[in-house]
Amino acid sequence: MKTRCVFSTSDLAAARIAMAAAQKAGIDDGDISLVAREDIELERIPDHLMQGRNDFYPAALRGGACGGGTGLLLGLIAVAIPPLGVTFAGAAAITVAGAVFGSWIGELVGFDVPDVVSRKFKDEIAAGCILVVIDADKEQLAVAEPAVARTGATPLPFHAHTVLT
């Protein structure tokens, strides 16, 4: 499991220096991303470095889990009521349908919800800072974090385990 940490930089040049330090410390390109105000993003940050700005995937997983759980509960209730004539296979189908529907609704909702980094550091982003987000194993972060901090990037109070990176 990877851990996500976030650094704040004053401009794109400082963000590039911080990214280079992370890469030199052994962090893969795909594990480094940037978050910035939309006007800054559109003008100066390459698309491949931009982090997803919404909660799409986590919301889909939460929706699938809740929908699947609800479908399972309803399926088992339907099995327990003899006049309905639902079999265990029918209960399984209801569970799958609930999970699919829950994931779909979760995706729709999650698309409009900002990701956790954007929500937590919205003031930094609004002030024009560019955030450097690194996802790595603990061993890699132990080497990369001091290296990135030495570039002048400010470590922000955020360390979270990531499942979807």
Side-chain angles (χ1 to χ4, degrees), residues 19 30 37 57 62 74 98 143 151:
M19 288 173 52
R37 248 184 7 225
Y57 293 112
R62 286 189 301 268
L74 291 176
V143 175
T151 68

Side-chain angles (χ1 to χ4, degrees), residues 48-68:
H48 72 281
L49 296 176
M50 293 308 303
Q51 176 179 321
R53 304 262 322 198
N54 58 40
D55 207 27
F56 183 83
Y57 293 112
L61 287 176
R62 286 189 301 268
C66 290

Side-chain angles (χ1 to χ4, degrees), residues 83-100:
L84 295 178
V86 176
T87 64
F88 283 107
I94 293 170
T95 301
V96 170
V100 169

Side-chain angles (χ1 to χ4, degrees), residues 22 28 40 68 71 74 93 102 106 136 139-140 158:
D28 292 332
I40 294 172
L74 291 176
E139 298 81 26
Q140 291 176 313
F158 186 88

Side-chain angles (χ1 to χ4, degrees), residues 33-126:
S33 57
L34 302 176
V35 178
R37 248 184 7 225
E38 288 190 27
D39 61 321
I40 294 172
E41 291 174 5
L42 294 175
E43 295 172 12
R44 303 188 310 216
I45 299 175
D47 286 341
H48 72 281
L49 296 176
M50 293 308 303
Q51 176 179 321
R53 304 262 322 198
N54 58 40
D55 207 27
F56 183 83
Y57 293 112
L61 287 176
R62 286 189 301 268
C66 290
T70 302
L72 177 63
L73 181 64
L74 291 176
L76 292 176
I77 290 171
V79 167
I81 301 174
L84 295 178
V86 176
T87 64
F88 283 107
I94 293 170
T95 301
V96 170
V100 169
F101 184 73
S103 292
W104 177 62
I105 293 298
E107 290 169 356
L108 292 176
V109 171
F111 192 73
D112 284 338
V113 176
D115 70 302
V116 67
V117 172
S118 296
R119 285 192 308 258
K120 183 164 181 158
F121 301 113
K122 65 182 174 192
D123 294 336
E124 291 269 337
I125 295 168

Side-chain angles (χ1 to χ4, degrees), residues 6-21:
V6 181
F7 293 86
S8 177
T9 60
S10 58
D11 56 25
L12 186 58
R16 288 182 196 262
I17 292 169
M19 288 173 52

